[in-house]
Amino acid sequence: MRCIVCGNESFELFHRGTRDNSAIDVMRCKKCRSFQLSSFSQIEEGFYEVGDMHKDQYSVSEDTYSEQVWDSWVSETQEDDYRRADMIKAKIEGGGLKERNVLDFGCGNGGFLRRLKEQKAANVVGVELDQDARKHLLSEGINVYESIDMIDPSVKFDIITMFHVIEHLEEPDRILKALREKLTDNGLLVVETPNADDALISQFHSEKFMDFTFWSAHLFLYTTDSLGMLMNNCGFSVVNNSQVQRYPLANHLYWLSEGLPGGHVKWKELSDDLLNKSYEDILKKLHKCDTLFGVFRRE
């Protein structure tokens, strides 16, 4: 094994098995502390194209997502889609997203792109392997392609986004360099991905959470430092490499008490905006939020 971030070949076993495959272990680089799975062979050809990643929601009796499943998926991601658009607007000089050309790489159900259209982005384009999701988005009038190679080579983007995509890539460096070529001079790449230093892993050492969160489709998990290092290696400089806490304190308390997900729903009475914001601020200082959110500039 060789670390995709720092090139180190020394790893330690961090966790035996993933939630869906007991034969695949989670290894940690001894130098940069990124996580890497012991095997990538489980991601067979066509895994993402046929919607296997969403197989729990996928309507196998039809040739595309049922309207009910699709609407549910769109509804479930809406809060994150809006948050991402607002965060990017806040970090961009000169008027936010208006009149910007934006590519969302791994656009899923297209919720983020719909939000950008509402905010008058000049041009929004998606890349998505899931063939049925592409059909649905095309029917809505959203331009979406199977790969970046299918986009007109002369078209450049001011902003490219990757939301919970980079952890799935077997060769993230190759994809990042390809995306770099699609950016305008000084264009921005925005990356959101799970944090390998999540508090439930690095602070509370919740075995139940680790049994749940480590997944055979997440080939790599990065820290704030290792994500920045990877971006530097691929021709990007750091504009802002921050963190976001997507799940509130009640979620963590439920994991620690019951060893189960969904605490933010089960224990709603323990949620309060001020309390959750204070908890997020503490985790940010410790670099232990559940999610990394980085903005990087093409060099």
Side-chain angles (χ1 to χ4, degrees), residues 21-275:
N21 194 324
S22 61
I24 298 173
D25 295 326
V26 180
M27 311 299 292
R28 183 166 63 181
C29 173
K30 288 186 176 181
K31 184 175 181 181
C32 72
R33 296 177 61 80
S34 294
F35 291 139
Q36 178 173 322
L37 296 186
S38 60
S39 172
F40 298 160
S41 62
Q42 66 277 12
I43 308 299
E44 299 178 350
E45 185 175 355
F47 177 81
Y48 294 108
E49 287 83 347
V50 299
D52 277 357
M53 195 175 76
H54 302 291
K55 62 185 176 183
D56 291 340
Q57 291 182 306
Y58 190 67
S59 179
V60 295
S61 63
E62 301 180 24
D63 62 359
T64 187
Y65 290 98
S66 68
E67 289 301 316
Q68 183 178 3
V69 169
W70 181 263
D71 291 344
S72 176
W73 186 13
V74 170
S75 176
E76 286 172 5
T77 63
Q78 186 176 75
E79 183 177 347
D80 279 329
D81 294 330
Y82 279 43
R83 170 185 58 79
R84 290 160 183 161
D86 290 344
M87 288 184 70
I88 293 171
K89 281 174 60 179
K91 295 178 186 298
I92 294 173
E93 299 176 0
L97 294 167
K98 189 175 182 181
E99 299 306 316
R100 306 275 182 163
N101 293 325
V102 182
L103 167 65
D104 188 14
F105 184 83
C107 64
N109 62 44
F112 175 70
L113 296 177
R114 290 188 202 90
R115 183 59 172 166
L116 296 196
K117 290 182 75 172
E118 293 173 3
Q119 297 183 342
K120 310 301 182 185
N123 183 39
V124 297
V125 174
V127 169
E128 175 55 49
L129 285 176
D130 187 326
Q131 57 193 8
D132 293 332
R134 286 202 311 275
K135 290 177 185 177
H136 219 294
L137 293 172
L138 288 168
S139 72
E140 295 181 30
I142 296 176
N143 291 327
V144 59
Y145 300 89
E146 184 177 1
S147 74
I148 54 175
D149 297 331
M150 299 175 68
I151 301 174
D152 185 338
S154 66
V155 175
K156 302 289 183 179
F157 296 92
D158 302 301
I159 303 165
I160 297 177
T161 56
M162 301 173 74
F163 299 123
H164 293 265
V165 172
I166 195 170
E167 64 271 19
H168 295 275
L169 301 178
E170 185 172 347
E171 298 178 296
D173 50 345
R174 180 180 64 82
I175 298 298
L176 290 171
K177 289 173 183 177
L179 291 175
R180 182 182 179 277
E181 296 307 308
K182 297 301 297 180
L183 282 168
T184 58
D185 292 341
N186 296 317
L188 299 177
L189 176 67
V190 179
V191 177
E192 181 176 306
T193 187
N195 183 11
D197 278 337
D198 186 314
L200 285 169
I201 298 173
S202 64
Q203 183 75 29
F204 302 128
H205 310 292
S206 171
E207 289 294 331
K208 292 291 187 181
F209 175 76
M210 287 186 271
D211 289 341
F212 171 84
T213 199
F214 290 133
W215 179 29
S216 68
H218 282 179
L219 308 182
F220 298 96
L221 289 181
Y222 305 92
T223 67
T224 292
D225 289 342
S226 66
L227 180 62
M229 190 184 307
L230 177 64
M231 293 299 161
N232 289 157
N233 294 344
C234 295
F236 294 91
S237 61
V238 175
V239 175
N240 187 282
N241 199 1
S242 59
Q243 298 191 1
V244 174
Q245 185 61 29
R246 297 171 69 208
Y247 292 94
L249 177 60
N251 178 274
H252 282 194
L253 293 176
Y254 200 73
W255 270 114
L256 298 176
S257 172
E258 306 297 324
L260 293 169
H264 54 297
V265 176
K266 296 283 187 179
W267 289 352
K268 287 182 179 179
E269 67 274 17
L270 295 182
S271 280
D272 172 87
D273 288 345
L274 182 59
L275 174 64

